[in-house]
Amino acid sequence: MKEVNFIRRHIDKWRNMEIAVDNAENMTPDELAEAYTELTADLAFAQTHYPTSRITLYLNNLAGALHNEIYSNKREKRSRIITYWTHEVPQTMWEARKLLLVSLIIFVVSALIGVVSTIGDPEFPRLILGDGYVDMTLDNIAKGEPMGVYGNEGETGMFLSITLNNIMVSFRCFVMGLFTSVGSGLMLFYNGIMVGAFQEFFHQHSLLWESSLAIWLHGTIEISSIIVAGAAGISLGNGFLFPGTYKRMVSFRRGAVRGMKIVVGTVPLFIIAGFIESFITRHTEIYDSVRLLIILLSLAFIIFYFVWWPWWLYGRRSKHDTDTNNNEKESLI
């Protein structure tokens, strides 16, 4: 069957299935199961006859969305709280891996701009960080306590305020995606410039090593989580800008659900980062080797959870399925 005839024969059914995905709560389990069975049959046919076509990608995405709706409509088990963090968030991160890379690139480039701008104009940090903060830091440096800002408040109060602020920053990165993915990109850009200017400011005062140990002690998790939240916002914005084969609002809702799942996944990390910043960062007398070890362990965890684990669970499976399909096609030939 020619691909165009295949599409014309089933396009109305697939559109109805898009509606079913959005209204799954109003359908019976039998109706969902029947729709899913028909859809996977069409997907199998497309994978066999049109393996590189966009219609195959469309059906695969639609089948995945319907599968998730069927799964979410099952009676929740107590183990859901575990599978959410061990499977659902990693699956979403694998699907959004390209967006995560884009978010990382935006942040790194903007941080370099912050560094270069501060080299070119030593007063640039005042524009980004504010006169009050810069003057306070200069005063702390003169007192011999360059990281004194982390010890100005009580530990518990600081923990609550920092954690809440960081969580709000992540949600703002996500919500800015409502103004298209450019909004989230601008949030990442601003935060990256701030970090770059901040680091270069201390470098110019011969405090790069000490400031890096203090900042990245909590910042490794905190900044990484902001980058992940930026990917969530880009997902939200791209859902509207690039609907692909879906209707625009369907695509937007899918992007919103995926983005929200990502940003919720960062909340525990912000709590951990807030704890480190409030209770540990202020103790600059801790051995440099201990602080460096904490930084490296934090980085290893971020890479493991947001990059390696999603690949291990879903990237390898996708490659295996592709290789299997190719082998089956070769055997048919």
Side-chain angles (χ1 to χ4, degrees), residues 20-89:
V21 169
D22 293 332
N23 299 278
E25 65 275 6
N26 299 321
M27 299 179 65
T28 66
D30 289 339
E31 289 174 333
L32 287 172
E34 182 179 356
Y36 183 72
T37 300
E38 291 185 16
L39 185 56
T40 52
D42 291 343
L43 173 60
F45 184 89
Q47 287 176 330
T48 301
H49 298 281
Y50 327 112
T52 60
S53 172
R54 291 184 63 191
I55 196 62
T56 303
L57 177 62
Y58 163 78
L59 291 174
N60 185 62
N61 290 336
L62 185 57
L66 189 55
H67 176 272
N68 290 338
E69 288 298 332
I70 294 173
Y71 177 82
S72 65
N73 276 278
K74 291 180 179 178
R75 181 172 295 180
E76 299 293 348
K77 300 180 180 179
R78 291 183 180 180
S79 61
R80 172 69 190 281
I81 189 65
I82 298 175
T83 58
Y84 179 82
W85 300 107
T86 59
H87 286 80
E88 292 186 42
V89 173

Side-chain angles (χ1 to χ4, degrees), residues 91-111:
Q91 180 182 17
T92 306
M93 290 308 307
W94 175 251
E95 294 170 352
R97 59 193 181 280
K98 293 181 180 179
L99 303 183
L100 181 61
L101 178 60
V102 170
S103 182
L104 175 62
I105 291 173
I106 293 174
F107 187 88
V108 170
V109 170
S110 59

Side-chain angles (χ1 to χ4, degrees), residues 127 187 251 284-285 295 312:
L127 177 65
M187 280 287 293
S251 176
T284 55
E285 72 278 5
I295 292 171
W312 179 262

